[in-house]
């Protein structure tokens, strides 16, 4: 406290370990139950003598400084009584000392009260400044929340994909609200109820068992869990409390709960998109929960999305798989992009187009991350405003009479599919009878010369030829060396369905013979009864022995 500072000022050194010898006075010892702040325990302080020079004796102020009424002079009186000569002078000196000490302590007390009052005044005004800052931050946070809400509102409108047939493009949000799907909006904001009877809700998470973390990013955490009463595990998406987005928000706004709500808007947006964009190649939304397990009140900012469980797409592993499986991934992707080009929301672009945004479920490719999907059209005045920029290529698209770039979202998706998927998966090890068709697809998508309808048609044509075996019509004749016999030694080939031998997919014994003849190690092959996703007539054959399995 301030009194301690004053004491130090008056006493030179308030932490002296031994009493200082002054020129006169008497020794005064005092104690007080409540120490002054800043004076640790019992300390000795020394002060200049306030007595006349002729009657000064050594004195000490020992211990905790008392209030004026608590000053004890008993020891001094006894000392005075012990001195017979100059008793009157000693009594006057003692009285003067008491008066001086009383005056000093009163001064200290008044000064302490004044400075303590000043400090109270400072603390009473300081929070007002902090409150103003917090109020400003809260206002900005609310603004950010409203901006996120505006991103979701267009996705709730049933006419969002139309041009202006419903008269919505020029209307304000308040006018547009009348057309919104408020049942869905209430579900994603309140959310503990089930949107449909077959969906999972907060109650489904009550007895969940976490299995593993599937992934984490700036915003979200994905966890594989087992739910009570469910035979298959599911994937839960929730806000990553340790993520970069959450950390930066808390640093900026000092409001963890508000930040959790802000960051969770990506999950809310994704829930709306999963509701609107239902397709075999989009991950299935199994349910959601706003709040903790059981839908605890007061935790509405906690959002959990329940999805079907998929396996992350492993490109390195996919590169080592047979061409038939790689073609299937590309075909699924093209079917998805065809749907997105004419979805209920209009033409949807995947702004974060990466293999990590996809998973496989029972061999089928599925888009699992939709929070960066956008159905917005790019406005333009000239064709120069409609430039698609990629690391190594740029494309300029026409600006329509409506003032929007034509096919921009669709073309963006096609070229990303070409550079992330087709380039690595499609050409290598393609069947000889299909290579010219694959090359056409590569040229058309790499130069953006084909739209998504033409691209899908080309893929479906290849699938038809492959499943029917028509691509084998021009296959050169091959000598069948023989069927597999016991005792043959298996050998490995690449790509293969088995790491222990050479297992390939064929349409017929004729194709199996052709492949066996092309392998120098192959002496014979064995046809099996297994089938692949294309379900050919003689689907999976195996070559044994020094023979691969075809």
């Amino acid at each position: 406290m301030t009194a301690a500072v004053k004491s130090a000022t008056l006493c030179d050194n308030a932490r002296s370990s031994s009493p200082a010898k002054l020129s006169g006075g008497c020794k005064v010892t005092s104690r007080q139950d409540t120490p002054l702040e800043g004076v640790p325990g019992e300390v000795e302080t020394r002060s200049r003598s306030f007595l006349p020079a002729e009657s000064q004796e050594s004195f000490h102020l020992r211990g905790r400084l008392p209030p004026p009424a608590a000053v004890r002079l008993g020891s001094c009186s006894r000392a005075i009584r012990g001195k017979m000569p100059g008793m009157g002078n000693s009594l006057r000196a003692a009285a003067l000392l008491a008066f001086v000490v009383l005056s000093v302590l009163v001064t200290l007390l008044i000064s302490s009260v004044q400075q303590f009052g000043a400090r109270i005044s400072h603390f009473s005004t300081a929070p007002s400044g902090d409150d103003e800052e917090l109020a400003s931050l809260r206002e900005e946070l609310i603004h950010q929340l409203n901006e996120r809400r505006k991103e979701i509102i267009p996705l709730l409108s049933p006419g969002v994909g139309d041009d202006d047939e419903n008269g919505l493009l020029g209307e304000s949000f308040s006018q547009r609200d009348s057309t919104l799907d408020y049942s869905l909006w209430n579900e994603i904001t309140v959310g503990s109820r089930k949107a449909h009877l077959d969906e999972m809700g907060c109650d489904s998470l009550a007895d969940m068992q976490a299995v593993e973390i599937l992934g984490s990013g700036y915003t979200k955490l994905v966890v594989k869990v087992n739910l009570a009463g469910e035979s298959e595990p599911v994937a839960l998406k929730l806000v990553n409390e340790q993520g970069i987005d959450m950390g930066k928000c808390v640093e900026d706004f000092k409001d963890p709960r508000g930040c959790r709500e802000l960051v969770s808007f990506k999950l809310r947006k994704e829930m709306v998109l999963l509701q609107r964009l239902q397709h075999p190649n989009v991950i299935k939304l199994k349910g959601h929960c706003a709040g903790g397990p059981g839908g605890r009140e007061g935790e509405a900012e906690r959002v959990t999305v329940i999805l079907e469980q998929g396996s992350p797409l492993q490109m390195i592993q996919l590169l080592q798989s047979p061409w038939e499986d790689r073609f299937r991934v590309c075909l699924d992707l093209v079917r998805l992009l065809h749907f997105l080009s004419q979805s209920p929301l209009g033409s949807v672009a995947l702004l974060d187009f990466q293999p990590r945004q996809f998973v496989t479920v029972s061999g089928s490719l599925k888009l699992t991350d939709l929070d960066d999907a956008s159905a917005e059209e790019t406005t333009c005045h000239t064709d120069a405003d409609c430039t698609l920029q990629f690391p190594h290529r740029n494309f300029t698209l026409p600006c329509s009479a409506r003032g929007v770039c034509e096919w921009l979202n669709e073309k963006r998706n096609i070229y990303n599919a070409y550079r992330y998927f087709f380039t690595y998966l499609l050409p290598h090890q393609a069947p000889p009878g299909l290579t010219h068709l694959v090359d056409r697809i590569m040229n058309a998508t790499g130069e953006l010369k084909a739209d998504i309808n033409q691209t899908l048609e080309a893929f479906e044509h290849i699938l038809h030829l492959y499943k029917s075996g028509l691509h084998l019509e021009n296959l050169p004749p091959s000598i069948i060396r023989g069927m597999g016999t016991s005792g043959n030694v298996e050998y490995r080939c690449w790509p293969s369905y088995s790491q222990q031998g050479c297992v390939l997919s064929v349409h017929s014994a004729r194709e199996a013979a052709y492949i066996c003849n092309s392998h120098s190690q192959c002496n014979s092959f064995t046809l099996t009864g297994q089938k692949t996703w294309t379900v050919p007539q003689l689907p999976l054959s195996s070559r044994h022995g020094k023979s691969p399995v075809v």
Side-chain angles (χ1 to χ4, degrees):
M1 288 179 66
T2 306
V5 177
K6 288 289 184 180
S7 175
T9 303
L10 293 173
C11 304
D12 293 334
N13 185 5
R15 298 183 182 272
S16 175
S17 59
S18 60
K21 295 292 183 180
L22 301 181
S23 57
C26 66
K27 185 174 182 180
V28 180
T29 303
S30 63
R31 288 183 178 273
Q32 181 178 335
D33 292 338
T34 304
L36 291 175
E37 183 180 336
V39 182
E42 180 178 282
V43 299
E44 296 188 7
T45 60
R46 57 193 174 97
S47 175
R48 296 189 302 271
S49 175
F50 294 96
L51 301 178
E54 66 273 10
S55 61
Q56 289 181 356
E57 293 181 15
S58 64
F59 75 96
H60 306 277
L61 297 178
R62 184 177 183 83
R64 301 169 174 86
L65 294 177
V71 175
R72 298 170 54 197
L73 301 176
S75 60
C76 184
S77 299
R78 289 190 294 272
I80 291 172
R81 285 194 296 268
K83 288 190 175 184
M84 296 303 293
M87 182 179 296
N89 291 338
S90 298
L91 288 174
R92 285 195 299 271
L96 180 60
L97 174 62
F99 175 76
V100 171
V101 171
L102 180 64
S103 300
V104 170
L105 292 176
V106 169
T107 302
L108 289 175
L109 181 62
I110 293 173
S111 177
S112 298
V113 170
Q114 288 176 342
Q115 295 195 26
F116 180 74
R119 194 163 70 176
I120 291 295
S121 174
H122 168 73
F123 287 150
S124 64
T125 57
S128 65
D130 292 343
D131 288 344
E132 290 179 3
E133 181 182 0
L134 291 175
S136 176
L137 292 176
R138 179 62 182 170
E139 184 177 350
E140 176 61 25
L141 180 58
I142 292 175
H143 172 73
Q144 294 290 335
L145 289 169
N146 287 332
E147 290 299 311
R148 301 292 83 75
R149 178 179 181 271
K150 289 178 182 179
E151 292 180 9
I152 294 180
I153 283 178
L155 304 178
L156 299 172
S157 174
V160 71
D162 306 333
D163 295 338
D164 200 29
E165 297 176 0
N166 296 328
L168 297 176
L169 294 179
E171 295 180 2
S172 65
F173 284 111
S174 60
Q175 293 172 318
R176 190 181 301 183
D177 280 354
S178 61
T179 66
L180 301 183
D181 183 351
Y182 271 104
S183 62
L184 181 55
W185 175 256
N186 289 335
E187 282 299 322
I188 67 171
T189 53
V190 180
S192 61
R193 301 182 310 276
K194 297 179 182 179
H196 304 286
L197 293 178
D198 59 341
E199 284 191 358
M200 298 178 181
C202 295
D203 293 341
S204 303
L205 306 180
D207 297 321
M208 66 179 180
Q209 294 181 343
V211 178
E212 62 177 316
I213 295 177
L214 298 176
S216 62
Y218 285 8
T219 305
K220 293 171 290 187
L221 183 69
V222 185
V223 183
K224 178 181 178 181
V225 301
N226 292 323
L227 300 181
E230 296 293 324
S231 58
E232 297 292 333
V234 298
L236 301 185
K237 277 191 180 182
L238 54 157
V239 170
N240 186 357
E241 301 282 348
Q242 307 301 321
I244 292 178
D245 286 355
M246 186 68 179
K248 187 176 186 306
C249 180
V250 172
E251 180 181 352
D252 292 343
F253 297 112
K254 313 295 187 297
D255 186 350
R257 185 169 180 175
C259 284
R260 190 180 295 111
E261 183 178 358
L262 178 63
V263 175
S264 72
F265 260 88
K266 277 200 170 186
L267 287 173
R268 300 176 193 272
K269 177 183 176 182
E270 193 164 14
M271 281 165 33
V272 175
L273 290 171
L274 289 171
Q275 288 274 9
R276 295 294 189 214
L277 303 177
Q278 297 183 34
H279 185 267
N281 297 114
V282 175
I283 203 74
K284 183 181 178 181
L285 176 66
K286 300 178 76 70
H288 69 279
C289 170
R296 289 193 295 265
E297 295 182 1
E299 296 187 358
E301 75 278 358
R302 294 185 181 273
V303 177
T304 304
V305 183
I306 309 172
L307 304 171
E308 66 177 326
Q309 159 71 41
S311 301
L313 191 66
Q314 302 290 343
M315 289 298 289
I316 295 180
Q317 180 179 348
L318 198 56
L319 288 171
Q320 301 173 0
S321 64
W323 180 86
E324 182 177 310
D325 290 349
R326 288 181 275 125
F327 174 78
R328 181 184 186 182
V329 168
C330 295
L331 175 63
D332 284 343
L333 180 58
V334 172
R335 287 172 173 171
L336 170 64
L337 299 185
H338 180 265
F339 165 74
L340 293 179
S341 70
Q342 49 191 8
S343 77
L345 302 177
S347 181
V348 175
L350 302 179
L351 301 182
D352 189 13
F353 200 116
Q354 298 280 349
R356 64 172 177 266
Q357 311 294 345
F358 297 86
V359 297
T360 57
V361 179
S362 301
S364 295
L365 183 74
K366 296 201 176 191
L367 177 64
T368 186
D369 204 336
L370 280 80
D371 61 310
D372 289 311
S374 173
E376 294 183 8
E377 293 184 296
T378 303
T379 58
C380 60
H381 297 287
T382 65
D383 291 354
D385 299 326
C386 301
T387 300
L388 274 177
Q389 296 183 341
F390 297 98
H392 303 293
R393 290 292 304 272
N394 293 334
F395 300 93
T396 300
L397 302 176
C399 178
S400 70
R402 298 187 298 124
V404 297
C405 298
E406 291 186 335
W407 314 304
L408 190 71
N409 291 344
E410 176 183 321
K411 296 286 188 176
R412 183 196 303 274
N413 290 341
I414 291 176
Y415 192 76
N416 279 326
Y418 163 80
R419 68 190 187 115
Y420 285 116
F421 286 86
F422 300 166
T423 300
Y424 301 104
L425 304 180
L426 206 54
H428 311 294
Q429 301 289 323
L434 300 175
T435 53
H436 66 292
L437 299 177
V438 171
D439 290 341
R440 288 181 191 174
I441 290 177
M442 297 299 296
N443 291 333
T445 55
E447 299 296 328
L448 287 185
K449 295 179 179 178
D451 59 27
I452 193 61
N453 293 328
Q454 295 168 325
T455 304
L456 178 60
E457 183 179 350
F459 269 88
E460 296 289 359
H461 179 58
I462 289 180
L463 177 63
H464 168 69
L465 295 178
Y466 186 74
K467 291 178 66 175
S468 63
L470 294 175
H471 68 295
L472 302 174
E473 288 184 350
N474 297 324
L475 213 60
S478 302
I479 299 176
I480 300 179
R481 301 175 182 175
M483 305 298 286
T485 58
S486 59
N488 287 337
V489 180
E490 294 186 0
Y491 75 96
R492 298 177 182 179
C493 66
W494 181 88
S496 171
Y497 284 100
S498 171
Q499 297 181 354
Q500 306 303 320
C502 190
V503 181
L504 304 174
S505 172
V506 298
H507 181 269
S508 62
R510 178 169 172 247
E511 183 185 8
Y514 171 79
I515 294 176
C516 184
N517 285 337
S518 65
H519 288 203
S520 60
Q521 296 172 288
C522 180
N523 291 330
S524 62
F525 60 86
T526 300
L527 299 178
T528 73
Q530 302 178 42
K531 299 181 182 298
T532 64
W533 66 277
T534 56
V535 194
Q537 295 176 7
L538 296 173
L540 189 67
S541 359
S542 50
R543 294 182 177 180
H544 285 276
K546 225 185 147 195
S547 20
V549 188
V550 189

